[in-house]
């Protein structure tokens, strides 16, 4: 069976003064999803953007042929539920949150899905996957952090590879259609190792937006994925 790989550029590293154009450019360059990093200066020590920006970008999240490109919202916020609902209304296609940021993880998942949006759980570098024993049947996405959340441009933490392997086994054993996404420090020269560990979806911020030629980087990533 061949894996479908998805590249999800993180607009955290885009030019915030030209966000709409940046979303269009990176979609023209071949982005599969748009990764939208929401930070609240509470769960993480940084502050980014909220549902109004997501809503403003939604009309730009489509290919030149008019095909919608999913907006992949990564919530680094606590509490989770109220803002997750606002993001669902603002056009998010997937919403992921950190289980340690919600008092009631199962309820938060249900609340996201009740809005018709796909739900994901995100795991920090030092966090175990134990909660998946009780939630895997409910979710559409597992997001493994390969840096500590809060900032772009950090180095990939190698222990994430073992965690990706573990998550891949859990997904395969479940038989469910669940994306395995990895976030942090992904570049052209390590994306193959991350895929070999079992990931199918790759967030990349600085690797793409840090270079003038977005398509060049995305093409090289796809070439490395084979
Ligand atoms: C970190 C964010 C990441 C970040 C990745 O908290 O969740 O999505 O933008 O950036 P790079 O690819 O630069 O490590
Ligand atoms: Zn992210």
């Amino acid at each position: 069976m061949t894996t479908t790989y998805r590249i999800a550029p993180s607009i955290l590293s885009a030019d915030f003064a030209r966000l709409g154009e940046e979303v269009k450019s990176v979609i023209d360059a071949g982005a599969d999803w748009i990764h939208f990093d929401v930070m609240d200066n509470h769960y993480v020590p940084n502050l980014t953007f909220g549902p109004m920006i997501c809503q403003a970008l939604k009309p730009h999240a489509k290919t030149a042929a008019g095909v919608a490109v999913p907006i992949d919202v990564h919530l680094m916020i606590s509490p989770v539920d109220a803002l997750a609902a606002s993001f669902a209304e603002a056009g998010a296609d997937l919403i992921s949150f950190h289980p340690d940021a919600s008092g009631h993880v199962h309820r938060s998942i249900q609340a996201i899905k009740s809005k018709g949006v796909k739900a994901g759980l995100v795991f920090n570098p030092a966090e175990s996957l134990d909660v998946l024993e009780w939630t895997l049947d409910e979710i559409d996405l597992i997001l493994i952090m390969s840096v500590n959340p809060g900032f772009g441009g950090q180095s990939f933490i190698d222990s994430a590879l073992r965690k990706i392997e573990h998550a891949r086994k859990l997904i395969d054993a479940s038989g469910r259609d669940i994306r395995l996404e990895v976030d942090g420090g992904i570049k052209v020269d390590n994306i193959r190792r991350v895929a070999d560990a079992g990931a199918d979806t790759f967030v990349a911020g600085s690797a793409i937006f840090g270079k003038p030629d977005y398509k060049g980087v995305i093409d090289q990533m796809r070439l490395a994925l084979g």
Side-chain angles (χ1 to χ4, degrees):
M1 211 181 76
T2 54
T3 310
T4 301
Y5 293 119
R6 292 175 179 81
I7 295 177
S10 165
I11 56 169
L12 181 64
S13 292
D15 179 351
F16 283 9
R18 300 188 300 110
L19 266 185
E21 278 170 55
E22 290 275 71
V23 166
K24 274 195 185 142
S25 308
V26 87
I27 289 173
D28 289 345
D32 298 299
W33 290 0
I34 295 297
H35 187 79
F36 192 97
D37 283 309
V38 183
M39 303 184 185
D40 66 352
N41 192 37
H42 168 69
Y43 181 72
V44 289
N46 201 354
L47 184 65
T48 56
F49 24 54
M52 291 166 78
I53 309 279
C54 180
Q55 191 171 13
L57 291 177
K58 182 72 176 173
H60 300 275
K62 55 174 192 251
T63 65
V67 179
V69 173
I71 300 184
D72 171 34
V73 172
H74 173 192
L75 296 179
M76 287 162 272
I77 62 168
S78 183
V80 171
D81 295 2
L83 270 177
S86 302
F87 273 102
E89 274 148 32
D93 296 278
L94 306 103
I95 299 178
S96 305
F97 65 95
H98 291 247
D100 51 302
S102 169
H104 300 279
V105 174
H106 193 279
R107 179 185 291 157
S108 297
I109 295 168
Q110 297 304 326
I112 292 168
K113 292 193 349 179
S114 74
K115 299 273 186 187
V117 174
K118 292 191 187 325
L121 288 178
V122 195
F123 296 90
N124 285 331
E127 201 176 343
S128 88
L129 299 178
D130 292 356
V131 70
L132 290 177
E133 185 175 352
W134 311 107
T135 52
L136 197 65
D137 288 345
E138 312 290 334
I139 61 174
D140 305 288
L141 170 81
I142 297 172
L143 175 51
I144 305 291
M145 293 306 298
S146 41
V147 298
N148 286 296
F151 303 94
Q154 304 179 77
S155 301
F156 188 90
I157 296 170
D158 275 327
S159 61
L161 293 171
R162 262 197 303 134
K163 197 180 288 176
I164 296 163
E165 285 169 10
H166 186 176
R168 171 49 61 198
K169 284 193 186 122
L170 295 174
I171 291 172
D172 288 351
S174 79
R176 296 192 62 242
D177 181 21
I178 299 173
R179 298 275 72 71
L180 181 49
E181 183 175 31
V182 181
D183 187 358
I186 294 187
K187 314 274 172 209
V188 170
D189 63 10
N190 65 7
I191 197 168
R192 180 71 249 171
R193 275 163 62 219
V194 181
D196 286 344
D200 54 40
T201 303
F202 308 88
V203 177
S206 51
I208 294 172
F209 287 103
K211 296 271 163 59
D213 178 11
Y214 304 162
K215 183 171 188 308
V217 179
I218 293 175
D219 286 351
Q220 278 181 283
M221 286 179 163
R222 288 204 204 281
L223 197 65
L225 290 169

